[in-house]
Amino acid sequence: MNDHSRPTIPSDEQLVAYLDDQLDAEQRTLIDAAINDDPALNLRLQWLARSNLPFKAAYDELGQQAPLDRLQAMLDTLPSPARPALNRRWFLAAAAGLVVSSVVADRLFLGWQMSQQKSNWRGLVADYMSLYVPQTLEHLPSDESTQRAQLRTIDSRLGLNLAPAKLTLPRLELKRAQILEYDGVPIAQITYLDPTHGPMALCVTRSNKGSRPFAHERRHEMNVVYWADTEHAWMLIGHSSVADLEDMARVLRGRLSA
């Protein structure tokens, strides 16, 4: 059965025009509705809106380590497209398109990168979380029935037994639980909204390296506390202090290992 009522997903060029206030009222209304219905599209809009982020500096170090000869050989096999007139909308849409649609090159580079850094799942999650702002989460439903349905999806993929009561934290509102995936490896992301510090996430993936105590690191100006039990690796990431994150991690670890 075809769902003709499902809204068309806006292109990156349309999203940039939306940000530039270059759409008429009807077009803006359609995109507003699509954003409200699709958290991933909302996140995409936030990425485009933050086009002044220091991407070059962030990726210079990775670029120095990348297998450049192999990547260049791939690029040399691609035809040269006609070059359109350059403007802000074209540049942002084209840059976003390269990030999303260059699947083969992206997997080659990220696969090589992950083979070099065994703990890089935390880096991938941190990259993703750096795009979050409070508005990314504010509109999401937070009723218990929705949360239970989302947590069942995580349980089935990661062999967990989660419930909203186990994940409750003081002052924080549980907003969403979802599965991310890299090369077939599921990573659960359970997102909170802190009224003081903004978005925070509890993330988990399978691990067979045994239990590990709390450790700390800092990524994208966010603090990370991570640990592991016999079957899973966990992390808390957000803008709260390390001490506060570790206190919350200790509460969660006690409940989730019970």
Side-chain angles (χ1 to χ4, degrees):
M1 176 178 176
N2 294 327
D3 185 359
H4 297 291
S5 64
R6 185 183 296 271
T8 302
I9 297 175
S11 67
D12 289 320
E13 186 173 15
Q14 290 172 316
L15 292 177
V16 175
Y18 174 90
L19 291 169
D20 286 345
D21 199 19
Q22 294 182 357
L23 300 179
D24 60 34
E26 182 180 359
Q27 291 173 313
R28 289 191 68 83
T29 299
L30 291 173
I31 291 182
D32 282 335
I35 292 169
N36 287 333
D37 290 340
D38 187 346
L41 183 62
N42 189 343
L43 189 61
R44 188 80 189 146
L45 184 70
Q46 298 297 331
W47 187 92
L48 291 168
R50 296 173 64 177
S51 59
N52 61 340
L53 286 172
F55 293 111
K56 183 179 185 300
Y59 285 95
D60 273 349
E61 182 178 352
L62 292 178
Q64 292 169 7
Q65 303 174 29
L68 297 180
D69 292 342
R70 190 157 27 129
L71 291 171
Q72 187 61 54
M74 289 179 58
L75 293 175
D76 288 343
T77 66
L78 301 176
S80 299
R83 185 177 183 180
L86 299 180
N87 55 47
R88 178 179 179 273
R89 191 187 308 176
W90 178 89
F91 176 78
L92 282 176
L98 285 173
V99 172
V100 172
S101 63
S102 299
V103 176
V104 175
D106 195 41
R107 282 181 177 271
L108 173 64
F109 178 69
L110 286 177
W112 170 84
Q113 183 185 351
M114 286 194 76
S115 71
Q116 304 299 311
Q117 303 181 45
K118 299 300 185 182
S119 64
N120 198 54
W121 77 278
R122 297 195 301 273
L124 294 174
V125 171
D127 289 344
Y128 191 50
M129 282 297 297
S130 71
L131 301 177
Y132 276 62
V133 294
Q135 291 78 13
T136 308
L137 303 173
E138 284 175 346
H139 72 286
L140 297 177
S142 53
D143 59 282
E144 187 169 332
S145 61
T146 298
Q147 293 171 356
R148 287 186 179 279
Q150 294 171 346
L151 292 172
R152 282 196 295 272
T153 300
I154 291 176
D155 291 346
S156 66
R157 295 294 303 276
L158 292 176
L160 293 164
N161 182 22
L162 301 175
K166 290 184 177 181
L167 301 169
T168 301
L169 291 169
R171 299 182 288 96
L172 273 63
E173 184 179 8
L174 179 60
K175 298 299 295 186
R176 180 174 62 197
Q178 63 180 345
I179 285 285
L180 309 175
E181 189 169 294
Y182 179 79
D183 269 0
V185 178
I187 302 170
Q189 181 200 48
I190 299 163
T191 317
Y192 298 84
L193 187 56
D194 184 325
T196 303
H197 300 291
M200 187 191 83
L202 170 68
C203 303
V204 55
T205 190
R206 288 187 182 274
S207 173
N208 58 5
K209 297 180 179 179
S211 297
R212 294 192 298 276
F214 293 128
H216 316 116
E217 60 187 29
R218 189 164 174 83
R219 294 178 181 263
H220 293 294
E221 300 183 355
M222 292 177 288
N223 291 314
V224 180
V225 174
Y226 59 96
W227 70 98
D229 55 32
T230 55
E231 296 182 357
H232 298 91
W234 303 80
M235 65 179 280
L236 265 182
I237 179 170
H239 293 282
S240 299
S241 68
V242 172
D244 285 347
L245 282 179
E246 186 164 322
D247 286 344
M248 289 184 278
R250 190 171 290 107
V251 169
L252 291 169
R253 185 172 190 172
R255 291 177 185 164
L256 297 170
S257 62

